[in-house]
Amino acid sequence: MRTTRLLLATALLGLCGAAHAADVALARLDCGGPREAVSVAAFSDTFEHENRKIALTYSCYLVRNGDRYLLWDTGNALDGSDAAPKVSLVDQLARIGVKPADIDFVGISHYHDDHTGQLAQFPDATLLIGANDWNAVTASETPAGFDPKQYAERRARFAPWIGRGKLERVSGDRRDVFGDGSVLMLDLPGHTPGHRGLLVKLAKKGNVLLTGDVTHFHENYRSNGVPTWNTNRADSLASLDRFRKIAENLKATVIIQHDPRDIGKLPAFPAFAD
């Protein structure tokens, strides 16, 4: 009898796990980007791309886990610039009936402006950000190498979480966002001190790896290119090596967030991959 109960319990747990895994879905949101090809010479500190131009894109992602949501990166600001998105994140989410207050977590790959531009539109969400990135954002004085005006604007985007909002300074190798192993923030420093990537485990599509800015386009990914403005070259190379091995071991679909050639790896919003 005891053996029968154990077998039944194991079967039920397996069914629940399968149902839960099937309830995880991933969508791409358009978060801006230059309308024309731009020089990417500065994306390599070894002069690899001196004559290359690419029309980079800015991508954000929505992960649905049951009735909970993670918004991954928030793209460029609605500032009227050439790189500004045509439709805000709030308006895109409204197409599927999701309001800003429905977002449980906003995960930030790193603090750069093209990944945090619309962050302040989600003040009720728990902000997940690398601890070392948070330290850089909230430093009492403008860090070396930062333009004071730009730094003040960046800090303002994080204002809802400075001293009062729901905040988690993510540290360690990985952060299990929903507590079920389906979505992991991965430690990939180098581009910034607290840079993170995202692993999403989908029942049908399989494992999906979102790069953040561990790399920016296919050519740099193939050659381990390091942008001139990365905060630590050795960490950048180590993170690229780790990312590549994770992708190989998990047979993951790699989505380079800035490369327009990867947009088609997910269905067009409002559709989700599951």
Side-chain angles (χ1 to χ4, degrees), residues 9 100 180 185 231 239:
D180 60 4
M185 285 181 70
T231 58
S239 291

Side-chain angles (χ1 to χ4, degrees), residues 122-140:
F122 304 91
D124 297 322
T126 296
L127 176 65
L128 304 176
I129 182 172
N132 289 331
D133 270 17
W134 182 254
N135 293 340
V137 167
T138 57
S140 57

Side-chain angles (χ1 to χ4, degrees), residues 15-63:
L15 287 172
C16 290
H20 194 83
D23 209 20
V24 178
L26 173 66
R28 177 191 177 270
L29 299 158
D30 182 4
C31 285
R35 310 304 175 201
E36 298 180 357
V38 297
S39 171
V40 292
F43 286 73
S44 169
D45 64 4
T46 60
F47 303 95
E48 181 182 3
H49 307 301
E50 293 301 287
N51 299 310
R52 189 184 303 277
K53 290 186 176 182
I54 297 177
L56 299 174
T57 189
Y58 300 163
S59 300
C60 307
Y61 299 87
L62 184 67
V63 181

Side-chain angles (χ1 to χ4, degrees), residues 36-274:
E36 298 180 357
V38 297
S39 171
V40 292
F43 286 73
S44 169
D45 64 4
T46 60
F47 303 95
E48 181 182 3
H49 307 301
E50 293 301 287
N51 299 310
R52 189 184 303 277
K53 290 186 176 182
I54 297 177
L56 299 174
T57 189
Y58 300 163
S59 300
C60 307
Y61 299 87
L62 184 67
V63 181
R64 185 181 66 222
N65 183 306
D67 59 357
R68 296 180 294 170
Y69 290 97
L70 162 70
L71 180 62
W72 178 250
D73 284 337
T74 65
N76 209 67
L78 302 167
D79 56 9
S81 69
D82 177 61
K86 294 180 179 179
V87 182
S88 72
L89 275 176
V90 171
D91 287 343
Q92 289 181 69
L93 293 172
R95 294 181 61 189
I96 57 172
V98 174
K99 303 179 181 66
D102 296 329
I103 301 298
D104 299 273
F105 302 99
V106 176
I108 296 297
S109 62
H110 63 295
Y111 56 65
H112 285 164
D113 300 343
D114 55 324
H115 292 257
T116 61
Q118 298 174 70
L119 177 60
Q121 301 303 311
F122 304 91
D124 297 322
T126 296
L127 176 65
L128 304 176
I129 182 172
N132 289 331
D133 270 17
W134 182 254
N135 293 340
V137 167
T138 57
S140 57
E141 297 182 2
T142 303
F146 284 86
D147 175 80
K149 182 177 181 293
Q150 185 182 45
Y151 178 73
E153 292 173 351
R154 178 176 298 161
R155 184 185 174 95
R157 297 189 187 115
F158 290 89
W161 294 273
I162 296 176
R164 58 184 183 276
K166 293 180 286 185
L167 167 71
E168 182 177 337
R169 303 168 183 83
V170 179
S171 60
D173 176 72
R174 65 195 72 179
R175 201 302 191 171
D176 187 347
V177 176
F178 295 104
D180 60 4
S182 65
V183 181
L184 302 176
M185 285 181 70
L186 303 173
D187 188 31
L188 297 169
H191 185 63
T192 62
H195 180 274
R196 297 258 157 179
L198 196 72
L199 170 63
V200 182
K201 301 177 182 180
L202 302 174
K204 295 179 182 177
K205 189 174 181 64
N207 298 309
V208 177
L209 274 169
L210 303 179
T211 57
D213 279 4
V214 73
T215 193
H216 293 80
F217 48 89
H218 291 185
E219 292 81 0
N220 244 17
Y221 184 49
R222 286 196 293 267
S223 65
N224 286 345
V226 176
T228 58
W229 65 90
N230 277 22
T231 58
N232 188 297
R233 191 175 203 279
D235 285 349
S236 298
L237 291 172
S239 291
L240 273 165
D241 181 64
R242 182 190 183 201
F243 185 90
R244 198 184 304 278
K245 287 177 179 176
I246 291 172
E248 180 182 354
N249 291 334
L250 296 182
K251 297 178 173 58
T253 297
V254 171
I255 297 179
I256 300 175
Q257 292 185 209
H258 279 298
D259 198 315
R261 292 167 287 189
D262 281 9
I263 290 175
K265 292 181 179 179
L266 293 175
F269 190 77
F272 281 75
D274 56 15

